[in-house]
Structures are given as C-alpha cells and as structure tokens.
Amino acid sequence: MHKLVIAAAAALTVFGGAAFAQETIKIGYIDPLSGGGASVGEGGLKTFQYLADEINAKGGILGRKIEILPLDNKTNPQESLVQAQKAIDAGARYITQGNGSSVAAALSDFVSKNNTRNPGKEVLYFNYAAVDPSLTNEKCSYWHFRWDASSDIKMEALTSYMKDVPAIKKVYLINQDYSFGQSVRADARKMLGAKRPDIQIVGDELHPLLKITDFSPYIAKIKASGADSVVTGNWGQDIALLLKAAADAGLKVNWYTYYAGGAGGPTAIKQTGLDHQVFQITEGFANSGHQSAMDFEKAFRAKVNMSLWYPRAVNEMRMFKAAAEKANSLDPAKVAAALEDLKFEVLDGGEGVMRKDDHQFFQPIYISSFGKLAANEPFDEEGTGWGWHLVSKVDTSKTMVPTTCKMTRP
Amino acid sequence: MLELIVISTLNGLLFGMLLFLLSSGLTVIFSMMGVLNFAHASFYMLGAFFGFQLTKWIGFWPALLLAPLLVGAIGMAVERYGLRNTHKHGHVAELLLTFGLAFAIEEIVAMMWGRSPVDYRVPALLDFPAFTIFSTNYPAYKIFMLAVSVLIFIVLLIVLKRTRVGLIVQAALTHPHMVGHLGHNVGLIFMLVFGVGSALAGIAGVIAGPALVTQSDMAAALGPILFVVIVFGGLGSLPGAFIASLVIGLVQTFAVALNGSLASAFGPLDPSAGPSVLTDIWNVTIAQVAPIVPYLLLVIILIVRPMGLLGTRES
C-alpha cells in the first residue's frame, strides 16, 4: 500500500509535473513599495520571495510552486483594495499584507465581502504585521489570520518588563495618528497606570503618519518634558527619522519601541550612542540563541543582504504549507479550517498556536536591547557593529489575552 | 519653557531657511519669466539624487558643485526645447508642461534609484555637534545649511538689484523687444534664468538630502509647501519669499510645541453628550494640526491680501 502511494506520487510528478508547474500558487503581496513605508515594504517583499524560493526548492506545497505577486498600495487603504482586486484577477487566492492597520481593516472587510459574494472562490488574508487589536476583536473575520502579536499583547509584555525597572519615572508617548498609534497610546496609559501608578505620563503626542521629514521639533518637546523614557509604536521612516533627530540633538532617554529594528533605525541608534538603552519587542531576533533560527538568519543575510525583520513571516509561510498539507488541499476554505487551532514550532523556538476564536497567533515574545555585542552574539545590524541582545522572554501561555471576537463562520 | 522657546526658534529658523533655499529658485523663475514651475520640487529631488550618486563617486564637496550644474543644465534644456515652444500657447500650456514633467521625473528617479530611501549621509567633515544649548546639540551640518541659505539670499539680492546682469534680466521681462533691439539675446537670458532657478533647487537638494530623506517621493512631499511660501511672500518677491519661509518655518515648529486644544482653553464639552465628531474636534491639539497650519495661512492671505506680503501685483 505504502509503495503504491509512492509510485503514484512519482508517476504524478513525472506525468503531471509539467501541468502542475504552470499552475503556481499565487500570493498577492500588498504593501507600500513607494512613499514613506517603502523601506519596510521592500524588506517584506524580499523576505516573502526568499521564503517562497525556500519552499519551492523543497518541492513547493503539494507539488505546486509558490509565486509572490508584488503590489504597491502606497500605505493607502483605497489603493489596497484596487491592488487586492488585481491580485484576485491575476488568479491569487491568498493575499498577505502587514504595514498599516488602516489598510489591514480595509482588506479584511474587502476579503470578507468578496468571499460572501463568491462562494467556492474564497480568498484568504494572511496578516503578518498589522497589529491593531480591533482586527481580532470587534472587527474580526474568519478569513483573516494574524501572525504578529497584536499591540495589546506586545504592550502587556512591555509594561510587565517596565514595571520592574525602578529608574522609569517619567514616560513620554509619541505615536502615529491612526488606529494603531492610538491603540498603542491607549494601552500604554491603561497598562502603565495599572502596573506602575507612580509613573508620570509627561507627554502624549500623535503626529501624522509617514508625512514628517524632520522630527527636531518633537525631540525638543520630549526634552522639555523631562522624560526619562519614551514609548513609541512608530514604524517605517517615522521611527528611523525620530531616532535620527534624537541622535542629532543628543537626547539621552530610554526608548521602548515596537519597530526600532526597521531600516535606518539601528544606524540612528548607533549614532546616539545609546548603548543598550533602546528596547524592542518582537517575536524573535537575530541573536535569540536558538540554533535553527540563527542558521536561518545566516543563510537569509547571505542571500538577501538584510537582516530578518519578520520571523513571523517565516512562521506564516511554513504554517501555510503545514495547513495545506494537513487539509491535503489548496482550497482557501479548507486551508482556513486546517489553520484553526494549529500548533506550530516557531522559528525562534517554542510552540505557538493559531487561536480558533479570533485567528490570532500566540507565540513567545522577546524584549531585546540594542548595543555592543556579547561574545555569543554573532549578528550585528546595518554594519554598525551593534546588535540585539536578549533582555526578557515571555512564554506563549503568558501572552494570551482575552478576545471579544464574535466570528461569523461559513 | 524658555528652553522650549529657544530651541523651537532655532528649529523653526533652520526649517524656514531650508524652505527659502527651495523657494528662491521658484521665485526667481516666476518673477523673471512669469512661469509657475510645477516641476521645481522635482529639480530639488534631482539635486538630491545627483548629489547622492556623485558623493559616492567623487565625494561630497565636488558633488555640491557638480550636481547643481547638472540640474541647471537640465533646466536650461527644459526651457530651450520645452517651455520656449509652448510659450506661444499661453500660460496654461506652460503650466501643464511643468506639471507633466514633475510626474515624469518622479517615475524616472524611481526607475533609476528605486522607491526606498537611499543611504545619503552627512559628510564626515560636518558630522559633529556644532554647539549645545540647554544640553540639546546642534549638528554642524544644520548650521552649514543655514549659512548656505543666507549666502544665496544675499548673492541673489545683490545680483538682481545691483548689477548690470540683474538690470537686463528685469528689463527682459517687461520689455523683451526693447531689450532685444538693444542687442541682447532675450531667448538666451530666459534660458539662463531658468537654468539658474533650477540649479538653486539642485543646491537645496544636494544639501537637504542627507538631513532629510532622499527618496523618490520627496518632491511630492515638499512641492505644495513651496507654493504656500511664494504665494504667502508675494508672487515674484525675493525678500517676500525669505520672510514667508521664516514665518512658515517658525509657525509650524511652534505649532508642534503647543499642546493646547479647544478643550484646554474652554473646558471639556458636556460629557453627557457622549463621544461624537464634535468632541473629537474639540479635543484636537494644535500640535496635531501643525502640518495644515501653513495651508491655513495660505487661505487667509489669499482672502485678506491676494498679492501676498511683499507682492506688488494681484494674483
């Protein structure tokens, strides 16, 4: 029986290979490839192309190769819907996106409507970085899956760490003026207030998303407030330019960030001379110490010439393969069902799970600081000679936050 | 508080001078030729990218000289082979030409250098803090930007008001035929003026590139504010553009520094009314609306004084 299966499979690859090879699995990659978000968008694209190549080199998924379709949405929700339709018209049944929760909300809504109108031709939406909690709460959708930890999970972990640092007395919040930035500021206020009522919030700033070219006026304000720590969810050019302006002005505070590791961030931190004073919260990082992740990082850097910003993208693509093979189908409806409650060994080690209730992936969370490398830390960032260093690890079980999602199931 | 005022003033001056560096070329072209050059910010972007590329090949200082010359040459070519031919079809055609040019340049730049920011750094020679006020450092490079802007303002003013060249250039605008009969080549004068205007944008690009972000959408990001500067200052007036740049730089910087909102001035709205669009507007701080303040100024000046601060003619 076993031999028969292998023989059949072999015959299929020989005779059906040509036919199958033409039918690639198209994944629409919808992210900014121009404008202020372009640096992160292009980084994500290279990552997904690398991951597709990796899977393809091992025979693809169920014998079919993956193809990434790059689509530029300019970080604009309307433009994203046009690009999503383009992806579907080109034959994509899967789309992936990450930068901008406003975009993610629009896409999630679009995909849900599309699937109601086109039964049997469903599209799945894999979200690898948009972390607004509402996407897995009141706005949750059966067709949306998120691999990044939502911003309240991250803030929970971050404030649990900050709670035990007595030196923190005055905190300044600076965030981008849209759904994600607003949820970061609200969570920070709420959670810091509950865990460390003695901490003073000396500033709470919202600025336009990806529009500011010089953050000097904001740095002057942070300085005048007397803050000893800054909490920011900024990403893309907004975090790089914020840190750059801080470096120029010589602002010496501790930074608690979500995305300081993005393009330009490490260079700016090195310039400030803030050795291990900039913290980042992620689901994995280069020097995590987990051997297979570090091997992956090495191979990735050698080929793509950038560091791996998105370990969650690795988890996403590998879980996609695992779910498709579990369902023995590439039909999005069946893959979606297979993903629910799927347990998975994540890149940086430890078990993660895709929660059925809200399609939020739960995984170990790390807080790391940026500075001079220790002996067992081989990876620096952007050629600065500095790299990320483990500060604290939060296990999967401790990251579980409740959800208010009431999912409509097909 | 004093610290914030001093530092905001400095930041505002620095930003204002950069705006002036950018709008000076636009003003020169407009006052001499009557052409509102929509592609001006694109020449600025070209300056930044040429500066980046040449810095990689031959270093920053030669690039600072060469890149504006290149941009100026492109500007002259645009005048000679583009604007001169469309001139007879009137201002709308000229406007549309520069409008199209702006889009074309953006796409060409994106094709050549990609859409993400390029790694254009401050030259090592100027990469140190110049001085420290209230423990805030001021990078030497920003002071250098300030110095170049002031220098250009003075040189431009002297050339236009005090020299023979300036006299001929000004006369060529109002009485081109008379200037022609006196033996001057009017076409050449216009071409040179456009070239100089473009080169000024180029200088701004080379200098601002490392301080801000050099990427393919930088023209679109800065273009609109330039028009605010030249309209606010008075169309065609160089001192007007200078004052307007400083005013806008300062206003925008101070707006960021202010946390006041309607709610903080008059107290919160009745909480029983519940959250609504009104409470949102009521609670918006001045800092949040800082980016639109210059445009608000533009609207007000157009209503109150359409010729701008120092402008002499209507519209």
Side-chain angles (χ1 to χ4, degrees):
Chain A
M1 180 63 201
H2 196 65
K3 273 186 185 162
L4 206 84
V5 173
I6 294 173
L12 260 179
T13 35
V14 172
F15 298 114
F20 278 129
Q22 288 161 358
E23 256 188 86
T24 55
I25 308 162
K26 293 189 174 112
I27 301 181
Y29 174 83
I30 303 173
D31 255 320
L33 298 172
S34 63
S39 58
V40 284
E42 282 198 352
L45 176 60
K46 285 182 194 161
T47 310
F48 276 100
Q49 279 167 340
Y50 178 87
L51 291 164
D53 290 347
E54 190 190 39
I55 291 174
N56 290 343
K58 289 179 189 157
I61 301 177
L62 300 173
R64 287 171 59 185
K65 297 269 159 76
I66 299 175
E67 183 190 345
I68 306 287
L69 308 174
L71 297 157
D72 179 15
N73 70 358
K74 305 182 176 102
T75 332
N76 177 321
Q78 267 72 45
E79 185 66 31
S80 303
L81 303 189
V82 176
Q83 299 301 336
Q85 191 57 53
K86 253 190 186 168
I88 293 170
D89 292 344
R93 302 286 298 277
Y94 296 90
I95 58 172
T96 193
Q97 178 270 348
N99 298 297
S101 288
S102 47
V103 170
L107 277 178
S108 180
D109 191 43
F110 173 84
V111 166
S112 302
K113 279 184 188 145
N114 175 76
N115 294 355
T116 323
R117 285 173 199 154
N118 303 290
K121 286 190 168 181
E122 288 85 359
V123 172
L124 275 197
Y125 167 29
F126 294 161
N127 169 2
Y128 73 95
V131 298
D132 185 344
S134 70
L135 292 166
T136 47
N137 284 308
E138 62 270 21
K139 285 185 201 156
C140 70
S141 157
Y142 179 78
W143 308 104
H144 162 266
F145 290 86
R146 170 155 64 199
W147 271 269
D148 200 358
S150 67
S151 74
D152 52 350
I153 298 174
K154 289 186 180 184
M155 189 53 81
E156 187 74 54
L158 194 61
T159 49
S160 295
Y161 171 75
M162 292 172 76
K163 161 174 79 93
D164 300 326
V165 184
I168 301 176
K169 296 204 165 57
K170 291 180 172 181
V171 171
Y172 199 101
L173 310 173
I174 178 162
N175 288 292
Q176 295 153 327
D177 197 359
Y178 79 117
S179 56
F180 160 66
Q182 280 159 3
S183 78
V184 169
R185 98 199 268 218
D187 287 344
R189 272 181 173 281
K190 192 177 76 193
M191 292 174 187
L192 277 178
K195 291 173 188 171
R196 275 285 298 277
D198 61 307
I199 287 181
Q200 225 185 316
I201 308 278
V202 290
D204 187 352
E205 190 84 42
L206 289 172
H207 64 77
L209 173 68
L210 301 175
K211 290 268 188 300
I212 291 171
T213 48
D214 183 9
F215 275 92
S216 308
Y218 294 94
I219 295 298
K221 222 172 153 183
I222 294 173
K223 193 141 205 170
S225 73
D228 54 51
S229 305
V230 176
V231 174
T232 178
N234 280 12
W235 54 270
Q237 72 175 31
D238 282 346
I239 183 71
L241 291 174
L242 181 66
L243 289 168
K244 189 177 170 188
D248 280 348
L251 178 70
K252 301 278 178 206
V253 293
N254 285 327
W255 293 83
Y256 295 91
T257 76
Y258 281 38
Y259 303 113
T267 306
I269 303 170
K270 176 72 193 292
Q271 213 188 332
T272 58
L274 292 176
D275 192 9
H276 293 294
Q277 281 187 270
V278 178
F279 301 86
Q280 181 179 229
I281 180 146
T282 51
E283 77 291 4
F285 62 103
N287 295 316
S288 67
H290 192 260
Q291 196 52 49
S292 63
M294 288 169 81
D295 292 344
F296 184 92
E297 181 85 32
K298 200 172 168 191
F300 183 78
R301 286 189 181 202
K303 191 170 170 199
V304 190
N305 201 21
M306 62 177 269
S307 49
L308 180 68
W309 301 336
Y310 304 119
R312 49 191 181 267
V314 184
N315 298 336
E316 174 187 312
M317 291 294 275
R318 290 182 177 175
M319 267 181 90
F320 171 39
K321 181 177 157 81
E325 281 166 359
K326 184 179 153 197
N328 196 25
S329 164
L330 279 159
D331 178 16
K334 288 179 183 153
V335 171
L339 272 171
E340 290 198 318
D341 276 339
L342 186 64
K343 289 197 169 72
F344 184 80
E345 175 78 17
V346 298
L347 178 70
D348 283 88
E351 191 173 73
V353 61
M354 179 59 76
R355 185 160 69 183
K356 189 177 180 180
D357 305 343
D358 56 352
H359 293 184
Q360 168 69 50
F361 188 61
F362 289 91
Q363 59 204 318
I365 298 283
Y366 300 86
I367 294 170
S368 50
S369 66
F370 192 72
K372 294 193 186 88
L373 291 167
N376 58 346
E377 296 170 340
F379 298 111
D380 77 336
E381 301 289 329
E382 298 184 350
T384 56
W386 283 15
W388 295 100
H389 168 79
L390 178 66
V391 170
S392 170
K393 180 184 177 184
V394 186
D395 287 326
T396 310
S397 59
K398 284 186 190 151
T399 64
M400 298 275 185
V401 292
T403 177
T404 59
C405 171
K406 292 188 189 69
M407 201 175 270
T408 338
R409 294 175 174 276
Chain B
M1 196 60 209
L2 177 71
E3 178 181 348
L4 191 60
I5 290 172
V6 170
I7 289 173
S8 294
T9 310
L10 259 174
N11 280 330
L13 284 178
L14 283 168
F15 182 59
M17 289 311 290
L18 178 69
L19 280 182
F20 171 71
L21 200 55
L22 268 163
S23 50
S24 59
L26 190 60
T27 303
V28 167
I29 290 173
F30 187 83
S31 62
M32 297 303 142
M33 306 174 60
V35 177
L36 195 54
N37 182 13
F38 262 101
H40 193 73
S42 308
F43 287 125
Y44 154 75
M45 177 163 75
L46 281 179
F49 276 95
F50 289 169
F52 161 71
Q53 200 61 51
L54 291 170
T55 299
K56 267 206 337 205
W57 290 336
I58 52 174
F60 179 79
W61 301 105
L64 180 59
L65 195 73
L66 213 56
L69 288 180
L70 268 174
V71 177
I74 292 174
M76 285 199 280
V78 166
E79 201 282 334
R80 175 65 186 81
Y81 300 105
L83 286 174
R84 196 173 295 181
N85 296 329
T86 39
H87 184 69
K88 51 182 172 288
H89 303 298
H91 282 308
V92 175
E94 285 178 332
L95 206 75
L96 288 175
L97 179 89
T98 59
F99 195 65
L101 198 62
F103 284 102
I105 292 177
E106 179 171 341
E107 284 309 311
I108 291 167
V109 165
M111 260 187 258
M112 293 185 68
W113 284 281
R115 290 189 184 274
S116 7
V118 295
D119 185 22
Y120 187 12
R121 301 223 181 136
V122 169
L125 190 63
L126 288 171
D127 195 10
F128 62 92
F131 59 88
T132 307
I133 297 180
F134 295 110
S135 76
T136 293
N137 294 338
Y138 272 87
Y141 192 75
K142 286 199 168 175
I143 306 305
F144 167 70
M145 281 166 68
L146 190 75
V148 172
S149 311
V150 173
L151 191 74
I152 284 178
F153 175 60
I154 294 169
V155 170
L156 273 180
L157 215 56
I158 291 174
V159 168
L160 287 178
K161 301 282 180 202
R162 292 273 182 270
T163 67
R164 227 181 118 71
V165 179
L167 197 71
I168 297 167
V169 166
Q170 291 192 49
L173 177 66
T174 44
H175 301 90
H177 293 295
M178 194 62 216
V179 174
H181 289 313
L182 286 172
H184 300 289
N185 185 343
V186 177
L188 185 70
I189 291 172
F190 277 1
M191 191 168 90
L192 285 175
V193 166
F194 202 85
V196 168
S198 311
L200 282 172
I203 295 177
V206 181
I207 293 177
L212 307 178
V213 214
T214 304
Q215 65 180 18
S216 65
D217 72 336
M218 63 197 284
L222 265 171
I225 196 115
L226 294 188
F227 292 106
V228 177
V229 170
I230 64 160
V231 173
F232 187 74
L235 286 173
S237 163
L238 201 59
F242 185 77
I243 295 168
S245 304
L246 291 185
V247 168
I248 287 169
L250 286 169
V251 163
Q252 205 169 352
T253 310
F254 272 98
V256 167
L258 294 173
N259 273 331
S261 62
L262 288 171
S264 63
F266 301 105
L269 288 183
D270 183 9
S272 64
S276 71
V277 181
L278 265 181
T279 50
D280 281 349
I281 294 173
W282 200 251
N283 288 314
V284 163
T285 63
I286 297 174
Q288 269 173 279
V289 296
I292 60 158
V293 169
Y295 302 98
L296 210 62
L297 281 178
L298 173 72
V299 172
I300 293 171
I301 198 97
L302 280 175
I303 295 168
V304 179
R305 195 180 152 84
M307 71 286 271
L309 280 182
L310 298 182
T312 43
R313 54 180 148 176
E314 293 282 327
S315 86

